[in-house]
């Protein structure tokens, strides 16, 4: 999806682009959440992942450009090997399939695609210190050029495991050398929060944090 975010003072807002399957007791979800900012401050994108009902896997990256000035591309690659969140083809997060180690991975349920824009000034900007300035309302984000490829539901049950699906090919099972360099650059220069490093929240890091995710 190409998205142009809210310009100016967007503090307290969250613009979201995400995939979701939600039942009463088993939620899978892949999130882009764009956290509003005060004018002139960096825009932060938060990614999150739910697998088999378990979430709380937030990571935050400060974007290295003004995402309200023009459209940028935000994409999710989801296959049996990993989930890759990318911005303009630059990977900002990778969550690997480590089911062999007993770590949940979202692969058994279909997901729909959603977009929302909502008020979250109790937490979205500087931990809730900056509130929405309603005099700036209405707030607009713009979406265009949506593209999706995958297995449709309802559809052939064998589609998801079909080896001819391009997204399951060897080239998409891990980052290539250029993607790996870009991913390292983002993690070193723009990552501002990783749940794996939050000792007050997780005195013992979750098992996927030890698995190199």
């Amino acid at each position: 999806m190409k998205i142009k975010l809210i310009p100016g003072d967007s503090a307290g807002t969250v613009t979201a682009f995400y995939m979701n399957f939600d039942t009463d007791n088993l939620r899978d979800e892949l999130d882009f959440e764009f956290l509003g900012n005060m004018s002139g401050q960096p825009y932060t994108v938060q990614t999150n992942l739910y697998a088999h009902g378990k979430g709380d896997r937030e990571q935050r990256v400060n974007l290295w450009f003004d995402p309200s000035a023009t459209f940028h591309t935000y994409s999710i690659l989801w296959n049996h090997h990993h989930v890759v969140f990318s911005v303009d083809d630059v990977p900002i997060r990778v969550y690997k399939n480590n089911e062999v180690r007993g770590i949940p991975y979202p692969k058994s349920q279909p997901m729909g695609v959603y977009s929302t824009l909502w008020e979250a000034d109790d937490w979205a900007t500087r931990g809730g210190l900056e509130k929405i300035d309603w005099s700036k309302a209405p707030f607009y984000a713009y979406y265009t050029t949506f593209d999706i490829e995958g297995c449709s539901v309802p559809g052939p049950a064998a589609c998801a495991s079909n080896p001819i699906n391009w997204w399951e090919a060897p080239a998409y099972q891990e980052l290539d050398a250029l993607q790996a360099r870009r991913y390292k650059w983002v993690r070193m220069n723009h990552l501002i929060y990783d749940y794996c490093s939050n000792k007050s929240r997780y005195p013992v890091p979750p098992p996927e944090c030890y698995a190199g995710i």
Side-chain angles (χ1 to χ4, degrees):
M1 179 76 82
K2 289 183 180 293
I3 305 173
K4 183 165 65 172
L5 297 175
I6 303 167
D9 185 353
S10 58
T13 66
V14 174
T15 303
F17 169 52
Y18 62 102
M19 302 177 65
N20 174 269
F21 180 91
D22 197 357
T23 64
D24 290 339
N25 56 11
L26 196 62
R27 177 181 179 185
D28 287 342
E29 187 168 301
L30 308 174
D31 295 332
F32 274 113
E33 294 177 317
F34 303 94
L35 311 185
N37 66 347
M38 298 290 288
S39 298
Q41 297 300 311
Y43 239 108
T44 299
V45 56
Q46 174 172 282
T47 57
N48 197 5
L49 183 145
Y50 283 77
H52 303 186
K54 178 68 175 71
D56 301 325
R57 297 182 170 97
E58 300 93 347
Q59 293 183 0
R60 294 180 181 179
V61 168
N62 277 346
L63 294 173
W64 50 95
F65 52 85
D66 179 359
S68 67
T70 189
F71 286 94
H72 292 266
T73 302
Y74 304 90
S75 60
I76 301 171
L77 171 66
W78 173 38
N79 60 29
H80 283 80
H81 304 277
H82 57 185
V83 176
V84 182
F85 296 84
S86 296
V87 177
D88 292 335
D89 294 324
V90 176
I92 65 167
R93 181 171 187 180
V94 178
Y95 185 89
K96 298 177 183 177
N97 184 342
N98 273 291
E99 288 182 307
V100 295
R101 303 184 187 185
I103 298 169
Y105 185 80
K107 74 172 190 182
S108 59
Q109 302 182 111
M111 287 194 257
V113 180
Y114 304 88
S115 292
T116 55
L117 197 166
W118 47 289
E119 177 268 328
D121 68 2
D122 58 331
W123 65 271
T125 307
R126 295 185 59 215
L129 294 177
E130 305 292 347
K131 303 298 184 182
I132 287 183
D133 181 353
W134 289 107
S135 70
K136 302 293 195 300
F139 301 100
Y140 292 101
Y142 301 88
Y143 297 73
T144 188
T145 322
F146 174 63
D147 181 54
I148 186 170
E149 294 183 60
C151 295
S152 60
V153 176
C159 176
S161 59
N162 191 330
I164 70 169
N165 294 331
W166 66 261
W167 54 89
E168 298 287 355
Y172 298 94
Q173 294 178 13
E174 60 183 7
L175 301 183
D176 64 26
L178 177 59
Q179 290 171 326
R181 287 197 299 272
R182 289 174 169 175
Y183 182 50
K184 182 178 180 180
W185 173 79
V186 169
R187 308 293 286 186
M188 291 181 63
N189 296 284
H190 297 281
L191 181 70
I192 61 169
Y193 175 80
D194 183 353
Y195 73 106
C196 287
S197 302
N198 190 334
K199 301 298 185 183
S200 61
R201 187 179 182 188
Y202 296 110
V204 178
E208 65 267 20
C209 299
Y210 293 109
I213 294 175

Short mmCIF file of all heavy atoms in Angstrom, two decimals, residues 143-169:
data_model
loop_
_atom_site.label_atom_id
_atom_site.label_comp_id
_atom_site.label_asym_id
_atom_site.label_seq_id
_atom_site.Cartn_x
_atom_site.Cartn_y
_atom_site.Cartn_z
N TYR A 143 -4.47 6.82 1.05
CA TYR A 143 -4.04 5.49 0.64
C TYR A 143 -4.25 5.35 -0.87
O TYR A 143 -5.27 5.80 -1.41
CB TYR A 143 -4.86 4.40 1.33
CG TYR A 143 -4.73 4.33 2.83
CD1 TYR A 143 -5.30 5.29 3.66
CD2 TYR A 143 -4.05 3.27 3.43
CE1 TYR A 143 -5.19 5.21 5.04
CE2 TYR A 143 -3.94 3.18 4.81
CZ TYR A 143 -4.51 4.15 5.61
OH TYR A 143 -4.40 4.06 6.97
N THR A 144 -3.31 4.70 -1.54
CA THR A 144 -3.46 4.47 -2.98
C THR A 144 -2.62 3.26 -3.39
O THR A 144 -1.79 2.77 -2.63
CB THR A 144 -3.03 5.72 -3.78
OG1 THR A 144 -3.37 5.53 -5.16
CG2 THR A 144 -1.54 5.98 -3.66
N THR A 145 -2.86 2.78 -4.61
CA THR A 145 -2.05 1.74 -5.25
C THR A 145 -1.94 0.49 -4.38
O THR A 145 -0.86 -0.07 -4.19
CB THR A 145 -0.64 2.28 -5.59
OG1 THR A 145 -0.75 3.64 -6.03
CG2 THR A 145 -0.02 1.47 -6.73
N PHE A 146 -3.07 0.04 -3.85
CA PHE A 146 -3.07 -1.19 -3.06
C PHE A 146 -2.85 -2.39 -3.98
O PHE A 146 -3.44 -2.50 -5.05
CB PHE A 146 -4.40 -1.34 -2.32
CG PHE A 146 -4.55 -2.65 -1.60
CD1 PHE A 146 -3.70 -2.99 -0.56
CD2 PHE A 146 -5.54 -3.56 -1.97
CE1 PHE A 146 -3.83 -4.20 0.11
CE2 PHE A 146 -5.68 -4.76 -1.30
CZ PHE A 146 -4.83 -5.07 -0.26
N ASP A 147 -2.00 -3.31 -3.54
CA ASP A 147 -1.72 -4.51 -4.33
C ASP A 147 -1.58 -5.69 -3.38
O ASP A 147 -0.96 -5.57 -2.31
CB ASP A 147 -0.43 -4.34 -5.14
CG ASP A 147 -0.13 -5.56 -5.99
OD1 ASP A 147 -1.00 -5.99 -6.77
OD2 ASP A 147 0.98 -6.10 -5.86
N ILE A 148 -2.17 -6.81 -3.75
CA ILE A 148 -2.07 -8.00 -2.92
C ILE A 148 -1.99 -9.23 -3.81
O ILE A 148 -2.64 -9.31 -4.85
CB ILE A 148 -3.28 -8.11 -1.96
CG1 ILE A 148 -3.10 -9.28 -0.98
CG2 ILE A 148 -4.59 -8.23 -2.73
CD1 ILE A 148 -4.13 -9.29 0.15
N GLU A 149 -1.15 -10.16 -3.42
CA GLU A 149 -1.07 -11.47 -4.06
C GLU A 149 -1.01 -12.52 -2.97
O GLU A 149 -0.29 -12.36 -1.98
CB GLU A 149 0.16 -11.57 -4.96
CG GLU A 149 0.11 -10.64 -6.16
CD GLU A 149 1.33 -10.83 -7.06
OE1 GLU A 149 1.50 -11.96 -7.57
OE2 GLU A 149 2.09 -9.87 -7.23
N GLY A 150 -1.75 -13.58 -3.15
CA GLY A 150 -1.77 -14.63 -2.15
C GLY A 150 -2.88 -15.61 -2.45
O GLY A 150 -3.44 -15.62 -3.55
N CYS A 151 -3.21 -16.43 -1.49
CA CYS A 151 -4.26 -17.43 -1.63
C CYS A 151 -5.57 -16.84 -1.16
O CYS A 151 -5.67 -16.36 -0.03
CB CYS A 151 -3.92 -18.67 -0.81
SG CYS A 151 -2.44 -19.54 -1.39
N SER A 152 -6.59 -16.86 -2.02
CA SER A 152 -7.88 -16.31 -1.65
C SER A 152 -8.67 -17.32 -0.83
O SER A 152 -8.47 -18.53 -0.93
CB SER A 152 -8.68 -15.93 -2.90
OG SER A 152 -8.91 -17.08 -3.71
N VAL A 153 -9.53 -16.78 0.03
CA VAL A 153 -10.40 -17.61 0.87
C VAL A 153 -11.83 -17.12 0.69
O VAL A 153 -12.09 -15.93 0.86
CB VAL A 153 -9.99 -17.51 2.35
CG1 VAL A 153 -10.94 -18.31 3.23
CG2 VAL A 153 -8.56 -18.03 2.54
N PRO A 154 -12.79 -17.99 0.31
CA PRO A 154 -12.59 -19.42 0.06
C PRO A 154 -11.82 -19.67 -1.24
O PRO A 154 -11.87 -18.86 -2.15
CB PRO A 154 -14.01 -19.96 -0.02
CG PRO A 154 -14.83 -18.79 -0.48
CD PRO A 154 -14.20 -17.58 0.14
N GLY A 155 -11.14 -20.76 -1.26
CA GLY A 155 -10.35 -21.14 -2.42
C GLY A 155 -9.78 -22.52 -2.21
O GLY A 155 -10.09 -23.19 -1.22
N PRO A 156 -8.92 -22.98 -3.12
CA PRO A 156 -8.34 -24.33 -2.98
C PRO A 156 -7.58 -24.48 -1.68
O PRO A 156 -6.72 -23.65 -1.35
CB PRO A 156 -7.40 -24.43 -4.19
CG PRO A 156 -7.91 -23.42 -5.17
CD PRO A 156 -8.49 -22.30 -4.35
N ALA A 157 -7.87 -25.53 -0.94
CA ALA A 157 -7.23 -25.73 0.36
C ALA A 157 -5.72 -25.92 0.24
O ALA A 157 -4.98 -25.62 1.17
CB ALA A 157 -7.86 -26.93 1.07
N ALA A 158 -5.27 -26.43 -0.91
CA ALA A 158 -3.85 -26.72 -1.09
C ALA A 158 -3.04 -25.51 -1.52
O ALA A 158 -1.82 -25.59 -1.65
CB ALA A 158 -3.67 -27.85 -2.11
N CYS A 159 -3.70 -24.36 -1.73
CA CYS A 159 -2.98 -23.21 -2.28
C CYS A 159 -1.82 -22.78 -1.40
O CYS A 159 -0.71 -22.54 -1.88
CB CYS A 159 -3.93 -22.04 -2.47
SG CYS A 159 -3.12 -20.52 -3.04
N ALA A 160 -2.05 -22.69 -0.09
CA ALA A 160 -1.03 -22.14 0.79
C ALA A 160 0.26 -22.95 0.79
O ALA A 160 1.34 -22.41 1.03
CB ALA A 160 -1.57 -22.03 2.21
N SER A 161 0.17 -24.24 0.53
CA SER A 161 1.36 -25.09 0.52
C SER A 161 1.88 -25.38 -0.88
O SER A 161 2.80 -26.18 -1.05
CB SER A 161 1.05 -26.41 1.24
OG SER A 161 -0.02 -27.09 0.60
N ASN A 162 1.33 -24.72 -1.88
CA ASN A 162 1.74 -24.97 -3.27
C ASN A 162 3.14 -24.40 -3.51
O ASN A 162 3.36 -23.19 -3.35
CB ASN A 162 0.73 -24.31 -4.22
CG ASN A 162 0.94 -24.75 -5.66
OD1 ASN A 162 2.05 -25.06 -6.07
ND2 ASN A 162 -0.14 -24.77 -6.42
N PRO A 163 4.09 -25.21 -3.88
CA PRO A 163 5.48 -24.73 -4.04
C PRO A 163 5.67 -23.76 -5.19
O PRO A 163 6.72 -23.12 -5.28
CB PRO A 163 6.28 -26.02 -4.25
CG PRO A 163 5.29 -27.00 -4.81
CD PRO A 163 3.98 -26.66 -4.16
N ILE A 164 4.67 -23.64 -6.09
CA ILE A 164 4.85 -22.71 -7.21
C ILE A 164 4.48 -21.28 -6.84
O ILE A 164 4.70 -20.36 -7.62
CB ILE A 164 4.06 -23.15 -8.45
CG1 ILE A 164 2.54 -22.99 -8.22
CG2 ILE A 164 4.41 -24.56 -8.86
CD1 ILE A 164 1.72 -23.16 -9.48
N ASN A 165 3.96 -21.05 -5.65
CA ASN A 165 3.68 -19.68 -5.22
C ASN A 165 4.99 -18.90 -5.15
O ASN A 165 5.93 -19.30 -4.48
CB ASN A 165 3.03 -19.68 -3.84
CG ASN A 165 1.65 -20.32 -3.84
OD1 ASN A 165 0.94 -20.29 -4.84
ND2 ASN A 165 1.26 -20.89 -2.70
N TRP A 166 5.05 -17.75 -5.84
CA TRP A 166 6.32 -17.02 -5.91
C TRP A 166 6.82 -16.60 -4.54
O TRP A 166 8.03 -16.56 -4.30
CB TRP A 166 6.19 -15.80 -6.83
CG TRP A 166 5.27 -14.71 -6.35
CD1 TRP A 166 3.99 -14.49 -6.74
CD2 TRP A 166 5.57 -13.68 -5.40
NE1 TRP A 166 3.45 -13.40 -6.10
CE2 TRP A 166 4.41 -12.87 -5.26
CE3 TRP A 166 6.70 -13.34 -4.65
CZ2 TRP A 166 4.34 -11.78 -4.41
CZ3 TRP A 166 6.64 -12.25 -3.79
CH2 TRP A 166 5.48 -11.47 -3.68
N TRP A 167 5.89 -16.31 -3.62
CA TRP A 167 6.31 -15.82 -2.30
C TRP A 167 6.91 -16.90 -1.42
O TRP A 167 7.45 -16.60 -0.37
CB TRP A 167 5.13 -15.15 -1.59
CG TRP A 167 3.90 -16.02 -1.48
CD1 TRP A 167 3.60 -16.88 -0.47
CD2 TRP A 167 2.82 -16.09 -2.41
NE1 TRP A 167 2.40 -17.51 -0.72
CE2 TRP A 167 1.89 -17.03 -1.89
CE3 TRP A 167 2.54 -15.45 -3.62
CZ2 TRP A 167 0.70 -17.34 -2.57
CZ3 TRP A 167 1.36 -15.77 -4.28
CH2 TRP A 167 0.46 -16.70 -3.76
N GLU A 168 6.82 -18.16 -1.86
CA GLU A 168 7.44 -19.25 -1.13
C GLU A 168 8.77 -19.68 -1.76
O GLU A 168 9.44 -20.57 -1.25
CB GLU A 168 6.50 -20.46 -1.07
CG GLU A 168 5.19 -20.21 -0.34
CD GLU A 168 5.35 -20.11 1.18
OE1 GLU A 168 6.47 -20.33 1.69
OE2 GLU A 168 4.34 -19.82 1.84
N ALA A 169 9.16 -19.05 -2.86
CA ALA A 169 10.38 -19.43 -3.57
C ALA A 169 11.62 -19.15 -2.71
O ALA A 169 11.58 -18.34 -1.78
CB ALA A 169 10.48 -18.66 -4.89
#
